[in-house]
């Protein structure tokens, strides 16, 4: 017992030491700790960790600590190269074996393996199972196998790859060597299947939280897709954005439309020449290109860690796919956004597309599709829906998760839904009996009382319910009609000129009514555009001008070394450097995320950038920042806050607004603070006494902190917190 404990402590120290020295990280995350322990004790395991959860470290750290070979099986060559680059940057001995190597390079890697000098070898499944590779590895000795993207082995998963099935042979070829499967997306059924298919022995199972709290999810009606996408993209100038489309043609069409809006977007799909694809991936990784409009072929190999927004132009084919694709946003843990554009005709298009093949296969596809459709049309917190899909409970915090359209008040049930639904159905039925075919445009035109040519020429204005929605916008009514289509009350044919038809359910609903509640998405248009990078996410006290210079420095270096920018240093680390402004390489090494090798390699040139900036700008070096500082997100304007905005703009007193809204003054003060920070009014005069504002501002500047307690105390407790919060928002 005592011996075991001693060993564990020693192992713990060695692990912590390596983590600090090599990666510059302070501690392992709890689940990483457990997985690393299991790895070091030679166990088989299935590990499910959300994207950005830190899977790589789970197998890289043991390889470094033991200084023995870990073989990592990965399906994507681009991903291998990035990981190998990232490891070499921190001084770990790593290499990859795959079909992209020249014969000479391959020989070199094989020599490295044979010499026993390698800690991590990335290999594709095909290459691993070649007789020559197996023989080489047997001679060199393997400490463990890590199977990345392990869900690809399961036919129940969304990304089955037949070549993964062969991996079962590992257990026969290397008896007694531990095998660990890693994935970001696996339902409990897929988790079990991974263990069975890999032939794992007494596997430990580690399942991390699926929730990605730093992601804000929004589902938005796809009524004017290009405008929606442009709005989303423009919230993230100079940041990585991926727009996923269903087909190659769609990517090109959407990219062209964005370019017309002066957004530099590039289309990416499997039909492009390999060197073009490669160049786009590299441009994106090295931050020369920020917006990529792609099919799902883009992404697996790309882990630019600072992708700030992922847009789905079309419904994804499964929840697993959605989790995986949105997972590419915010891998660095900073706040990021996922926007899903949804309408019913996309579902029909997908259904048709997925209905080819074996009946079992088709049935499975349809089931997966229905799940995403249900997700998109539901009125449940998105974080909750996603977690529960993966078999995990998620308790929505009081007041909402704060990071999805549902909780932010971006969706709302239409009042008198039943009446609206019935009216649309009655009018559609009436048009059906009069015209030989009509599109959504005619139906909406009739309902909104349009006297356009296409209505009058066909006598459509004679239909029941002409102008029933007098004064409503076409957009809004179109969205209502689409909701009926989503729920199968109306159908739209899939012809060149799609035509509206009544469904059996729709006919029945006219007589019997329906419990369909139309949920309207309002979120996207309500979100104020971002003003500056620092506004949305930042480390307290960050020097924004320096951050930009550091990014330029990183871009140049990434280009020279032909590696993705994040491999050099992460955004969060650059932000901390921009906050601290270290004057020496030693000071740099203390910053989380730097580590020994990086500070040696990049230290001098980084410090030079910092010093030149400090001199030019006349700012101090080596500012102390508090360790516990977290990245603070500028509070987002929720629909609620926006509903008070007109009163704030009019300068109405807080108590007044509170009385007429029937809420407490404190609530209004909170919204006011958010509004002030976002909208930046010229003055606080309507709400805060001038003298108090001056004193509070002085105290906030003097304390130089985001914490209000010292400021409150400095002012002798005379100025209440809610007022201080508003002043701070104004000052910041
Ligand atoms: P995954 O493969 O699970 O998507 P990664 O291994 O790429 O995740 O890690 C995601 C991010 O988290 C990376 O930027 C990585 O450097 C960082 N990270 C991982 N583990 C830690 C840790 N213990 N402390 C700090 N940062 C970490
Ligand atoms: Zn929510």
């Amino acid at each position: 017992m005592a011996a075991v404990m001693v060993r564990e402590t020693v192992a713990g120290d060695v692990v912590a030491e390596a983590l600090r020295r090599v990666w510059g990280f302070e501690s392992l995350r709890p689940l990483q700790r457990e997985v690393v322990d299991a790895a070091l004790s030679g166990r088989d395991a299935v590990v499910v960790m959300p994207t950005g959860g830190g899977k790589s470290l789970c197998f890289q750290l043991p390889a470094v600590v033991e200084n023995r070979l870990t073989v990592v099986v990965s399906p994507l060559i681009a991903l291998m190269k990035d990981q190998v680059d990232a490891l070499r940057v921190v001084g770990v001995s790593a290499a990859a074996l795959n079909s992209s190597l020249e014969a000479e390079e391959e020989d070199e890697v094989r020599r490295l393996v044979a010499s026993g000098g390698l800690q991590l070898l990335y290999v594709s499944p095909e290459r691993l199972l070649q007789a020559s590779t197996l023989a080489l590895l047997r001679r060199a000795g393997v400490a463990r196998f890590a199977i990345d993207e392990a869900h690809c082995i399961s036919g129940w998963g969304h990304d089955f790859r037949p070549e993964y099935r062969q991996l079962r042979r590992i257990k026969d070829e290397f008896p007694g060597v531990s095998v660990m499967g890693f994935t970001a997306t696996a339902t409990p059924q897929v988790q079990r299947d991974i263990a069975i298919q890999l032939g794992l022995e007494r596997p430990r199972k580690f399942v991390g939280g699926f929730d990605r709290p730093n992601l804000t999810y929004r589902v938005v009606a796809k009524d004017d897709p290009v405008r929606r996408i442009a709005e989303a993209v423009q919230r993230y100038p100079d940041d990585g954005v991926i727009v996923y489309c269903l087909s190659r043609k769609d990517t090109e069409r959407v990219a062209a439309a964005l370019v017309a809006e002066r957004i530099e977007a590039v289309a990416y799909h499997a039909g492009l020449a390999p060197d073009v694809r490669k160049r786009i991936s590299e441009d994106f990784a090295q931050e020369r290109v920020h917006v990529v409009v792609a099919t799902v072929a883009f992404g697996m190999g790309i882990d630019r860690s600072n992708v700030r927004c992922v847009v789905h132009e079309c419904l994804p084919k499964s929840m697993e796919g959605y989790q995986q694709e949105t997972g590419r946003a915010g891998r660095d843990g900073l706040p990021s956004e996922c926007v899903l554009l949804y309408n019913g005709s996309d579902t029909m298009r997908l259904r048709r597309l997925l209905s080819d093949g074996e009946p079992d296969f088709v049935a499975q596809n349809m089931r997966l599709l229905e799940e995403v459709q249900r997700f998109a049309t539901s009125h449940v917190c998105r974080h909750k829906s996603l977690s529960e899909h993966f078999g995990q409970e998620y308790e929505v915090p009081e007041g909402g998760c704060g990071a999805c359209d549902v909780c932010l008040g971006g969706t709302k049930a239409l009042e008198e839904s039943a009446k609206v639904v019935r009216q649309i159905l009655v009018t559609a039925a009436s048009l059906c009996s009069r015209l030989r075919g009509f599109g959504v445009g005619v139906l909406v035109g009739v309902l909104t009382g349009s006297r356009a040519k296409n209505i009058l020429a066909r006598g459509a204005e004679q239909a029941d319910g002409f102008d029933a929605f007098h004064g409503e916008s076409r957009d809004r009514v179109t969205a209502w009609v689409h909701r009926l289509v989503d729920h199968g009350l109306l159908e739209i044919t899939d012809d060149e000129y799609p035509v509206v038809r009544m469904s059996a359910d729709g006919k029945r609903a006219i007589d019997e009514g329906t419990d369909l509640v139309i949920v309207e998405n309002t979120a996207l248009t309500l979100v104020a555009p971002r003003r500056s990078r620092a506004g949305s996410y930042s480390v307290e006290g960050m020097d924004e001008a320096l951050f930009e210079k550091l990014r330029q420095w990183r871009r140049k270096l990434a280009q020279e070394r032909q590696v993705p920018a994040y491999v050099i240093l992460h955004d969060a680390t650059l932000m901390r450097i921009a906050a601290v402004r270290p004057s020496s390489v030693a000071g740099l090494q203390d910053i989380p995320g730097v580590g020994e090798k990086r500070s040696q390699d990049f230290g001098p040139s980084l410090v030079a950038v910092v010093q030149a900036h400090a001199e030019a700008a006349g700012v101090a070096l080596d500012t102390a920042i508090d360790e516990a500082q977290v990245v603070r997100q500028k509070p987002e304007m929720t629909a609620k806050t926006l509903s008070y905005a007109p009163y704030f703009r009019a300068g109405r007193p807080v108590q007044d607004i509170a009385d007429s809204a029937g809420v407490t003054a404190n609530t209004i003060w909170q919204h006011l603070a958010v509004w002030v920070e976002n909208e930046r009014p010229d003055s606080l005069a309507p709400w805060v006494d001038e003298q108090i504002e001056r004193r509070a501002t002085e105290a906030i500047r003097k304390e130089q902190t985001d914490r209000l307690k010292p400021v409150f105390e400095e002012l002798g407790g005379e100025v209440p917190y809610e007022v201080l919060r508003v002043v701070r928002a104004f000052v910041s």
Side-chain angles (χ1 to χ4, degrees), residues 251 266-270 272 276-278 280-281 292-295 297-299:
T251 65
V266 182
Y268 179 105
H269 52 73
L272 298 172
V276 175
R277 284 201 329 249
K278 185 156 173 266
I280 297 174
S281 302
V292 175
V293 184
T295 58
F298 184 76

Side-chain angles (χ1 to χ4, degrees), residues 532-559:
S532 76
R533 175 187 315 286
S536 161
Y537 59 91
S538 131
V539 164
E540 283 167 35
M542 178 178 91
D543 180 335
E544 218 188 312
L546 178 54
F547 177 64
E548 281 310 322
K549 287 182 188 163
L550 293 170
R551 288 218 333 166
Q552 277 165 21
W553 166 87
R554 181 176 67 178
R555 201 172 300 144
K556 194 156 147 275
L557 196 63
Q559 200 154 349

Side-chain angles (χ1 to χ4, degrees), residues 459-652:
E461 80 281 6
Q462 306 291 326
D464 282 357
F466 182 77
D467 209 15
F469 299 146
H470 180 84
E472 283 297 350
S473 77
R474 281 186 69 91
D475 273 2
R476 190 169 186 211
V477 176
T478 307
W480 294 344
V481 171
H482 280 144
R483 296 302 87 81
L484 266 63
V485 177
D486 297 342
H487 291 273
L489 297 181
L490 289 177
E491 288 170 1
I492 299 179
T493 59
D494 178 45
D495 307 317
E496 194 181 345
Y497 300 102
V499 164
V500 179
R501 296 246 172 81
M502 298 298 294
S503 70
D505 281 352
K507 286 181 192 146
R508 201 171 320 119
I510 292 181
D511 303 324
E512 298 173 12
T514 131
D515 49 12
L516 170 62
V517 174
I518 296 183
V519 175
E520 295 190 288
N521 303 74
T522 47
L524 246 196
T525 43
L526 283 178
V527 178
R530 269 179 15 153
R531 299 253 155 86
S532 76
R533 175 187 315 286
S536 161
Y537 59 91
S538 131
V539 164
E540 283 167 35
M542 178 178 91
D543 180 335
E544 218 188 312
L546 178 54
F547 177 64
E548 281 310 322
K549 287 182 188 163
L550 293 170
R551 288 218 333 166
Q552 277 165 21
W553 166 87
R554 181 176 67 178
R555 201 172 300 144
K556 194 156 147 275
L557 196 63
Q559 200 154 349
E560 278 166 25
R561 298 192 164 216
Q562 288 293 304
V563 297
Y566 77 90
V567 161
I568 308 277
L569 281 168
H570 282 294
D571 276 11
T573 311
L574 284 191
M575 286 177 179
R576 290 198 186 95
I577 298 174
V580 177
R581 289 190 288 257
S583 65
S584 67
V585 174
L588 186 67
Q589 203 176 325
D590 289 340
I591 292 178
V594 178
E596 198 173 83
K597 182 87 164 60
R598 278 195 182 106
S599 55
Q600 274 167 18
D601 290 356
F602 310 141
S605 78
L606 248 180
V607 169
V609 174
V610 173
Q611 280 176 339
H613 169 79
E615 198 162 315
V619 288
L621 291 164
D622 298 314
T623 17
I625 61 163
D626 169 4
E627 252 334 297
Q629 270 177 359
V630 281
V631 174
R632 186 167 93 93
Q633 185 180 11
K634 177 162 87 172
E636 188 167 324
M637 295 236 269
T638 62
K640 256 267 127 41
T641 305
L642 281 155
S643 70
Y644 296 124
Y647 304 107
F648 296 147
R649 259 177 231 128
R652 287 262 301 273

Side-chain angles (χ1 to χ4, degrees), residues 181-196:
F182 290 85
T183 172
T185 41
T187 55
Q189 185 183 31
V190 174
Q191 293 161 23
R192 274 193 299 279
D193 206 26
I194 291 173
I196 295 170

